[in-house]
Amino acid sequence: MTPLVIDAFDDPATLDPHKAFETGSRHPVLNMYQGLLGITEQEEVFPLLAAALPVRADHDGGVRLTIPIRRGVLFHDGSELMADDVVYSLRRAVITADGPASLLADALLGAPISELDEHNTAEMIRRISLSGDAVVLDLARPFAPLNNLLVHWSLVVSRSWCAARGEWDGDRATAAAFVRRGVTALDEQANGTGPYRLENWDKQRRELTFHRFDEGGRRDGPAVLVLRSVDDRVERERDLLEARCDFAVCQPESAERLGELDQTVLEKLPAEWSINPLGFVTHHVRPDSEFLGSGEFGPDGLPANAFSDVHMRRMLSLCFDHDRYVREVLDGDGLEHTPPFPAPALPGFRAV
């Protein structure tokens, strides 16, 4: 069975869907896990693991959303997805890591947060509940981008599968012990409902191997897929030219050389969900990162925790030269997105 081989860049930092907050991790995660809602190329939101779009109602000064959950959906281990798994997954998403949790906090709490603590995680968990075969979200106020938020940040895991591996069992009384864990059992294991299941992660070869998940009659896509991390853009181009891969992420300067190769298709992806990099700037950069420079504020560097200051992120969002970034980095094919995404990058700004 010949695999489809993809050359990309960046090794995944984690396969945990509730920690994956950077490109290298999000790409494999989104092939293994699904969320409540999907989105078409025309940017129309549709129910995915949800049985219907959320139903909104005024409630206790805020907004209550009820989301019915589809039946008959299977996880990769063969167990059936239940509404309780969705509640567990959303609750786990707001306790596992600062980044993903901050995206849901603005809707649930009515204000962005910069860092998880026992109080705000307990309150967010309380606002996510089960009602029969439906999930209920109690929002502090109307939140216009919620559907788009659920498209990207409602990935569902199996509660029992996670608990069997030492993860949080879903008991609200024990949640505090699992807030912002550095290492989780899902960092290197996966069990989602997505189109591909994880077969192997060879860290030495920097390869992830996936098999198509054919349950439910699904037969779209190659049966086996290999995602390789290749840092050197020249090597990625050479792999494609010499037929060592089927797809490669290349730079614009490769276009002319690749265009002369028979049976090679060049495609720009202007409809891709490109994200302003400052929207996803991390709160804490690795202390050994080459990008820190001196590690002190100044022309030669900055501290590892510089971006934990919400005012710093706000300043960068407001002064960033978007036109130059689109022109020089995205080859003129950037897309604009309605903020807040995520809200902590620009607190106080609300989409109309």
Side-chain angles (χ1 to χ4, degrees):
M1 194 177 298
T2 303
L4 179 83
V5 179
I6 298 174
D7 273 10
F9 47 85
D10 294 340
D11 293 298
T14 179
L15 299 182
D16 190 325
H18 303 142
K19 289 171 59 181
F21 203 50
E22 89 296 330
T23 303
S25 297
R26 290 291 289 175
H27 282 169
V29 160
L30 290 175
N31 280 287
M32 297 184 292
Y33 292 94
Q34 293 176 307
L36 291 171
L37 305 178
I39 192 164
T40 68
E41 291 184 2
Q42 293 73 39
E43 300 184 14
E44 297 176 350
V45 175
F46 63 90
L48 189 56
L49 294 182
L53 292 176
V55 176
R56 290 169 167 78
D58 294 337
H59 176 75
D60 197 23
V63 176
R64 170 164 284 183
L65 280 88
T66 303
I67 310 171
I69 304 303
R70 283 175 54 197
R71 298 301 301 268
V73 177
L74 298 182
F75 286 106
H76 295 162
D77 68 351
S79 61
E80 184 177 356
L81 178 144
M82 307 297 289
D84 180 64
D85 293 309
V86 181
V87 170
Y88 169 78
S89 298
L90 291 171
R91 288 176 168 177
R92 187 178 185 273
V94 300
I95 71 171
T96 301
D98 289 324
S102 68
L103 298 173
L104 292 163
D106 202 18
L108 292 169
L109 302 180
I113 60 172
S114 296
E115 189 172 277
L116 289 170
D117 60 34
E118 186 173 343
H119 171 75
N120 58 41
T121 53
E123 178 60 16
M124 285 192 285
I125 286 174
R126 186 187 70 80
R127 290 175 174 271
I128 303 167
S129 59
L130 181 68
S131 178
D133 287 333
V135 174
V136 175
L137 303 180
D138 286 319
L139 311 187
R141 55 172 174 75
F143 190 72
L146 184 71
N147 279 356
N148 285 339
L149 192 67
L150 294 178
V151 166
H152 296 281
W153 299 100
S154 62
L155 302 180
V156 177
V157 298
S158 164
R159 176 177 178 172
S160 59
W161 186 87
C162 289
R165 285 154 180 77
E167 287 299 299
W168 181 47
D169 63 3
D171 185 345
R172 290 172 58 178
T174 62
F178 291 84
V179 171
R180 201 192 302 111
R181 297 175 66 222
V183 177
T184 74
L186 277 65
D187 281 332
E188 299 183 12
Q189 302 179 65
N191 181 30
T193 62
Y196 283 90
R197 60 176 176 81
L198 180 66
E199 180 69 19
N200 183 53
W201 185 1
D202 188 329
K203 291 189 176 182
Q204 292 294 110
R205 295 171 61 90
R206 303 176 69 192
E207 292 183 355
L208 286 158
T209 302
F210 305 91
H211 282 203
R212 188 179 61 210
F213 185 52
D214 288 338
E215 294 296 333
R218 182 163 45 196
R219 294 291 187 275
D220 296 330
V224 181
L225 188 149
V226 175
L227 178 63
R228 303 194 303 206
S229 298
V230 181
D231 296 326
D232 189 340
R233 63 187 182 185
V234 175
E235 185 179 349
R236 293 197 301 273
E237 178 186 327
R238 189 182 302 118
D239 282 350
L240 198 58
L241 287 168
E242 297 178 4
R244 289 196 297 268
C245 71
D246 301 287
F247 179 94
V249 179
C250 295
Q251 302 302 108
E253 60 263 28
S254 300
E256 183 176 349
R257 292 185 292 273
L258 292 173
E260 297 173 353
L261 186 66
D262 290 340
Q263 298 181 328
T264 298
V265 177
L266 303 182
E267 182 179 2
K268 289 184 179 180
L269 302 175
E272 196 175 31
W273 283 82
S274 56
I275 302 297
N276 181 331
L278 292 176
F280 277 90
V281 71
T282 183
H283 291 183
H284 299 276
V285 183
R286 288 195 335 268
D288 61 345
S289 171
E290 61 185 286
F291 302 107
L292 285 178
S294 67
E296 302 291 337
F297 275 120
D300 300 319
L302 74 169
N305 65 346
F307 299 115
S308 63
D309 185 337
V310 70
H311 301 295
M312 169 68 84
R313 298 199 304 278
R314 179 180 174 85
M315 178 273 291
L316 288 170
S317 294
L318 293 174
C319 75
F320 185 65
D321 190 340
H322 293 81
D323 291 338
R324 182 178 179 185
Y325 178 80
V326 169
R327 184 174 64 252
E328 297 182 8
V329 179
L330 299 181
D331 197 28
D333 288 329
L335 290 179
E336 294 185 7
H337 296 271
T338 302
F341 200 82
L346 199 62
F349 190 94
R350 293 289 176 266
V352 176

